[in-house]
Amino acid sequence: MSPDHESLLRLTFEIAHSATAHGNMPFGALLAGPGGEILLEEENGYFPDLDATAHAECLLATRASKLYREPFLAQCTLYSSAEPCAMCAGAIYWKAMTGDHPDNPTMDLPCRDVFSAGQKSIEVIGPLIETEAEAVHRDAWQPTV
């Protein structure tokens, strides 16, 4: 039986309303298992700590990655009350099973590209002292045997 995407998406709207009732921005997300069962729900969490990174999708991705391993998460679906921003999309990406190294599945999307799509001007200085920066990582990403 396939999940009812519209019903699950409507539940994220209810979670978003709940976020508003708790004094936060109106965003909500949920994680559904392979059969559509609801595993986790998360509201926007900007308040009370003024955490600008506490978007519902990021909070959900963090909880999910602590509770479930990647092979199971690859079978799940994250539903969001709005299209995820670049930060949330990155967090969602990191919880999926991707990349060349299991401990560092990087996304080939330079920060300059992300910033240029935004509404604020952010200057990136560099790259600088690349050889020294590379040395920090040289032995850290050897293939595991």
Side-chain angles (χ1 to χ4, degrees), residues 31-34 37-41 60-74 76 94-96:
L31 182 69
E37 66 279 10
I38 298 171
L39 302 174
L40 300 171
E41 296 181 7
L60 186 77
T62 297
R63 281 183 58 208
S65 67
K66 290 178 180 180
L67 293 172
Y68 305 106
R69 299 290 42 100
E70 290 84 2
F72 178 71
L73 288 172
C76 297
W94 275 95
K95 79 170 192 65

Side-chain angles (χ1 to χ4, degrees), residues 29-86:
L30 69 82
L31 182 69
E37 66 279 10
I38 298 171
L39 302 174
L40 300 171
E41 296 181 7
E42 199 64 64
E43 299 178 1
N44 178 278
Y46 179 75
F47 292 111
D49 299 326
L50 305 178
D51 183 352
T53 66
H55 294 189
E57 300 91 341
C58 280
L59 295 172
L60 186 77
T62 297
R63 281 183 58 208
S65 67
K66 290 178 180 180
L67 293 172
Y68 305 106
R69 299 290 42 100
E70 290 84 2
F72 178 71
L73 288 172
Q75 301 173 55
C76 297
T77 303
L78 188 150
Y79 294 86
S80 177
S81 63
E83 183 170 342
C85 70

